Amino acid sequence: MNESTISQKMIVSIKTALSYKAIPIVLIAIITGGLFTTDKDPYFLMHEIVQVSLRHGFLVLALLMPIRAGMGLNFGIVIGAIAGQLGIIMAINQGYMGLQSFLIAIAFATPLALLFGFMEGQVLNRARGYEMIASLFLSYFANGIYQFVLLFLLDSAIPFKSEELLLPGGTGLRNTIDLSANLGGAIDDLFGGMLQVPIFIVLFIMGIAVLLRNAYRSTYGLNRNSEITDRRHLKKQSILALFLCLISVLVMYIDVLPGNWSQIATVRFPLSTGALLLVFVAFDTLMTQTKFGKAFQSICPEPENEGLVAGRTNKQRLAAIMVSIVLAAWGQIIYLQSSGILITYGSHMGVGTLAAVALLMGGASIRRATAMQALIGVLLLHSFVLLAPALLESVAGSGNIFEVFRMLVLNGVILYAFIQAGKGRGGNME
């Protein structure tokens, strides 16, 4: 093989890699520019990114299972969010408070989510090949029913005890419900906030855990027949984990950050919410290793598996949607207990699109996605929302254009993902 052939292959591989990672690269460039131009307090930035990303991560993880089942992005997780909100309303109506309110909301929402997921799955099985557009319009349809029930049937055809939540006319629910007195902070502030610790301690422990796991896998989990890519993947993970540990130690104990940037060492992380997110990730990881989860890989419509597309089963697809809707319901309850306010007719709107954008920003595609890409995407999305206005203001002289720019970016991300899939290159972008 001559040098020109080698160089051509290298150029092609670089172009392919950049194509796969174009979205994260552009976002990181925008976020970096925003860091140098923003006048916001570093502590505020770090705190907001951590808190919002943590509460939003649950909803993004709800998208993974349908993608593995070959159904693409399930914009119908809005239906799961509706189930979660109905669970919250029922819990508040019964007068429950704190952690009890959270658990009752979960108990109410879960059977509703299972029912809604079953109904959505049945529809999507009949819309084979058009699942994403069908799930999008299903979410609009479900929103119409939801608003009709809460505006016209509540306390007229459906009994409702909590009069303070009703509109002055006595029928229909108020537009805004303050959750601070009942559900607000039920998980984030568990045990009076005693489970909140500095974020860099959490990052250090996570880094050590990854290093120990990779050391074990390198010693006992890999053999001579293991693929070279597996070893390289472990090596990359270990380097990243080591870097994370080093940065955490420097920030916590050596105070290497300049000026008021040192304040970010005091940003706190709610361990209870983080533990729940870890449970979601662990559940997703375990599902991919079970017989049930591995069956999804054979029905995913990759180009090389086109002959197997006809073999995908309605049962697997239905189960994927039901799991997705239940996780979305739980995720919406966790999100709202953290935000502390329920916009009755609006909190669920856009949940599907925003979660899909976050997942794609992490380097996923409409055919393959991982939990790590979901978490990275959430961080990138909310970092972009916080920092991009400062960059735009420095370039354009005004930050008022940001809302237009935000809509262009969010919709452009989804459009780019569809273009990549249409080219047959919608694989893993790692």
Side-chain angles (χ1 to χ4, degrees), residues 107-299:
F108 275 125
T110 301
L112 286 175
L114 287 170
L115 174 62
F116 296 166
F118 179 81
M119 295 168 67
E120 181 186 350
Q122 293 288 356
V123 172
L124 296 186
N125 275 337
R126 288 165 172 75
R128 193 181 296 268
Y130 302 94
E131 293 92 345
M132 285 184 283
I133 190 69
S135 66
L136 179 63
F137 281 96
L138 264 176
S139 68
Y140 294 148
F141 180 75
N143 178 56
I145 296 176
Y146 169 78
Q147 296 205 18
F148 175 75
V149 169
L150 293 193
L151 274 173
F152 299 105
L153 299 185
L154 205 65
D155 203 45
S156 57
I158 302 173
F160 198 77
K161 293 194 304 185
S162 183
E163 293 185 3
E164 64 270 17
L165 297 184
L166 293 172
L167 290 168
T171 299
L173 215 59
R174 291 182 182 273
N175 184 57
T176 304
I177 299 175
D178 184 7
L179 302 178
S180 58
N182 37 64
L183 186 74
I187 300 299
D188 288 352
D189 299 328
L190 196 63
F191 301 122
M194 292 175 59
L195 295 180
Q196 296 202 15
V197 299
I199 179 68
F200 285 98
I201 291 180
V202 176
L203 294 177
F204 178 79
I205 294 173
M206 287 174 58
I208 293 296
V210 171
L211 288 172
L212 291 175
R213 186 201 65 175
N214 287 356
Y216 176 83
R217 288 188 63 190
S218 298
T219 306
Y220 302 104
L222 298 178
N223 52 47
R224 293 181 180 180
N225 297 324
S226 297
E227 294 184 6
I228 295 176
T229 53
D230 292 337
R231 297 183 181 277
R232 287 178 178 174
H233 190 60
L234 279 182
K235 186 177 180 181
K236 288 180 182 179
Q237 280 188 346
S238 299
I239 292 173
L240 181 61
L242 190 61
F243 178 75
L244 199 63
C245 292
L246 179 62
I247 291 296
S248 299
V249 169
L250 290 175
V251 171
M252 286 190 299
Y253 301 111
I254 304 181
D255 196 18
V256 295
L257 296 175
N260 59 354
W261 278 93
S262 59
Q263 296 175 7
I264 66 173
T266 61
V267 172
R268 304 186 77 78
F269 181 89
L271 286 179
S272 47
T273 311
L276 277 179
L277 186 63
L278 185 62
V279 169
F280 271 53
V281 173
F283 171 78
D284 176 75
T285 304
L286 288 173
M287 283 298 295
T288 61
Q289 296 174 357
T290 62
K291 181 179 178 181
F292 179 76
K294 288 178 180 178
F296 288 156
Q297 306 304 320
S298 64
I299 64 174

